[in-house]
Amino acid sequence: VCTTWQAVSRSDHLWQLLCRQVWARTHLMHDTWRDEFIYRHRTARNFRTRTHTYFTLQFDPSDVDEPDSLLCRCLTLSDLYLAAGFADGTVRLFLLNNRLHVRTLRPPLRDRFGRFSRAVSGIVISNSRLTFATMDGDIHVAEIDGVGHTRTAYAGDIVNDGALVDFAGCGRWWVGLFAGVPGRAFHIWDCNSEETTFVGGSLTDPEAVMGWHTLTELTTSLGRIRISGNETAVACTRWRTMVIDLRNQGVIIGEDEEQRRGLTVTGFDANEQVYVRMDSRGNANVRRVNTQETVCEFRVSGAAQRRVMGCVNRLNALMCAGGVMRVWEVERGEYLYSVRERVGEVEAIVADERHVAVASSSSTAQSVIHLWDFGAL
């Protein structure tokens, strides 16, 4: 190696640029940016070679008194925490370094509009703040460090908006996907001022009736919405997917044609660059968010006969069907392996560049939360 490269390679600024470009990292978790880059590279290799440690997370269920309270509806990961949202509006927070349950968050009491109107629709972890939304359209905010109580940042109007079937967010925006009232599919909030900045869209109009049913019964997922790069959101229903611009208040960047055979909503997810969608026969298609260009395709066997739940991180797509989780590489669609551990019927799944978490049902009506750690050893 030439002396010039040896000198340049010692520049922490160079490794910072590489971490941002390759791994989209903007803050350090290790001593130097070079250490950060090496760690991320080795962790990505662990994903490819099935090198991980596996755990199940424990929490005390004695503080619930309803049979549906322990059904997990959604999961969210950050660098330090895993948050699990349940059917009774409760969010349980786990530390990833020791996998302990450290806090339970509950929304302020309010009248219910159905058995599952308080079910958690989505969770956003940003810096030291945790935000979660419930099916009735309420948005609640709490400080992760435990200072202060959970407060309601936005009170939903379920009669005029319908059910909030999914919720996501980024540094500047919150976005919700509603079903129940035509023409009001997307809601966008400025999370700094906590004010609504946009309401509109017809994506969930065909699911309007089913949107009301979600408040009283456990139905199949009507829609998913995910934040992608450059402050865009990607949404999926059974019939189509749509990309909207959050900065320009819901302007449609791209959408695909209506699907005759239907899409599997629970098999949809997005990362910063691409999203994966899957039809009812198990044919998965990975597309670039900005151009709708197809990156690769793969097939999930048994999807037509079993429920499929999927997610993506920066490099991989993970699909659970029949209690088995399988992993694909998203640039070429290469099938890598199936995870050894069996998880049963999956209720929620999430992945980032280090962890994969799955919530599955058990015989005791309490969700079991599984965690895989691919962190470099």
Side-chain angles (χ1 to χ4, degrees):
V1 179
C2 72
T3 55
T4 301
W5 169 247
Q6 287 179 339
V8 171
S9 67
R10 287 191 288 268
S11 166
D12 208 42
H13 180 63
L14 169 68
W15 293 106
Q16 181 180 6
L17 293 176
L18 288 172
C19 284
R20 182 181 302 173
Q21 181 70 26
V22 178
W23 305 115
R25 298 296 301 181
T26 57
H27 61 278
L28 274 174
M29 295 293 291
H30 297 83
D31 292 336
T32 68
W33 284 107
R34 181 178 183 273
D35 292 339
E36 189 77 26
F37 185 90
I38 292 172
Y39 177 84
R40 299 292 161 183
H41 179 75
R42 289 176 176 171
T43 300
R45 183 176 61 189
N46 288 346
F47 253 104
R48 187 170 183 85
T49 59
R50 198 167 56 174
T51 304
H52 64 262
T53 51
Y54 166 76
F55 311 91
T56 57
L57 305 186
Q58 307 296 322
F59 60 92
D60 184 5
S62 62
D63 58 347
V64 300
D65 54 6
E66 298 181 20
D68 300 320
S69 297
L70 295 174
L71 295 174
C72 183
R73 302 301 304 273
C74 61
L75 296 166
T76 297
L77 282 164
S78 71
D79 287 335
L80 301 177
Y81 298 98
L82 168 68
F86 290 79
D88 64 347
T90 299
V91 174
R92 291 179 172 85
L93 195 65
F94 299 85
L95 263 175
L96 289 171
N97 61 357
N98 57 18
R99 297 164 297 280
L100 294 179
H101 173 215
V102 294
R103 193 175 180 199
T104 299
L105 304 171
R106 290 182 174 84
L109 293 177
R110 187 183 177 192
D111 292 339
R112 292 192 177 191
F113 289 87
R115 182 181 175 189
F116 295 108
S117 64
R118 304 299 287 157
V120 179
S121 299
I123 306 169
V124 178
I125 302 176
S126 178
N127 298 323
S128 62
R129 187 170 74 165
L130 185 146
T131 305
F132 66 100
T134 49
M135 292 279 287
D136 56 11
D138 287 357
I139 301 175
H140 309 284
V141 176
E143 298 299 322
I144 292 178
D145 60 12
V147 177
H149 299 287
T150 303
R151 65 178 178 85
T152 301
Y154 176 83
D157 184 354
I158 196 169
V159 174
N160 292 314
D161 293 329
L164 176 52
V165 297
D166 204 7
F167 175 80
C170 58
R172 174 73 187 280
W173 308 104
W174 298 328
V175 57
L177 183 66
F178 287 75
V181 179
R184 301 179 70 85
F186 298 111
H187 288 224
I188 301 174
W189 297 267
D190 184 319
C191 63
N192 295 321
S193 65
E194 300 178 355
E195 294 181 353
T196 307
T197 59
F198 174 82
V199 176
S202 60
L203 180 65
T204 57
D205 285 6
E207 284 78 24
V209 174
M210 288 302 299
W212 296 110
H213 283 282
T214 61
L215 301 172
T216 58
E217 59 189 80
L218 285 174
T219 63
T220 57
S221 179
L222 301 185
R224 277 188 174 183
I225 191 161
R226 297 290 184 265
I227 301 294
S228 190
N230 300 319
E231 296 185 285
T232 58
V234 192
C236 175
T237 66
R238 183 183 175 187
W239 306 113
R240 54 187 173 142
T241 57
M242 182 178 292
V243 183
I244 64 171
D245 190 337
L246 300 179
R247 289 172 297 184
N248 293 315
Q249 301 308 299
V251 171
I252 298 174
I253 299 174
E255 61 180 316
D256 59 14
E257 67 283 356
E258 189 167 315
Q259 302 298 305
R260 294 181 180 178
R261 295 173 180 169
L263 299 172
T264 301
V265 174
T266 54
F268 166 84
D269 199 18
N271 63 26
E272 293 183 349
Q273 303 294 332
V274 303
Y275 66 88
V276 58
R277 66 170 202 175
M278 186 179 67
D279 67 23
S280 58
R281 296 188 176 184
N283 300 307
N285 185 271
V286 180
R287 295 187 174 188
R288 301 205 183 277
V289 172
N290 293 333
T291 64
Q292 308 294 297
E293 171 193 1
T294 296
V295 177
C296 68
E297 297 177 338
F298 59 89
R299 180 172 175 78
V300 182
S301 60
Q305 294 80 32
R306 308 175 207 172
R307 185 187 180 197
V308 178
M309 187 78 71
C311 64
V312 295
N313 60 16
R314 195 170 180 82
L315 298 176
N316 305 288
L318 304 96
M319 297 286 175
C320 283
V324 180
M325 184 165 66
R326 297 179 175 87
V327 183
W328 284 263
E329 192 268 340
V330 296
E331 283 297 323
R332 295 178 295 273
E334 176 189 359
Y335 172 72
L336 299 179
Y337 55 84
S338 62
V339 176
R340 302 179 188 93
E341 296 80 14
R342 298 297 182 262
V343 296
E345 188 69 20
V346 177
E347 297 167 349
I349 183 172
V350 68
D352 61 13
E353 275 58 63
R354 174 173 174 177
H355 295 96
V356 178
V358 167
S360 63
S361 56
S362 68
S363 58
T364 62
Q366 174 181 337
S367 295
V368 177
I369 300 177
H370 310 261
L371 182 69
W372 292 264
D373 186 351
F374 292 83
L377 303 176

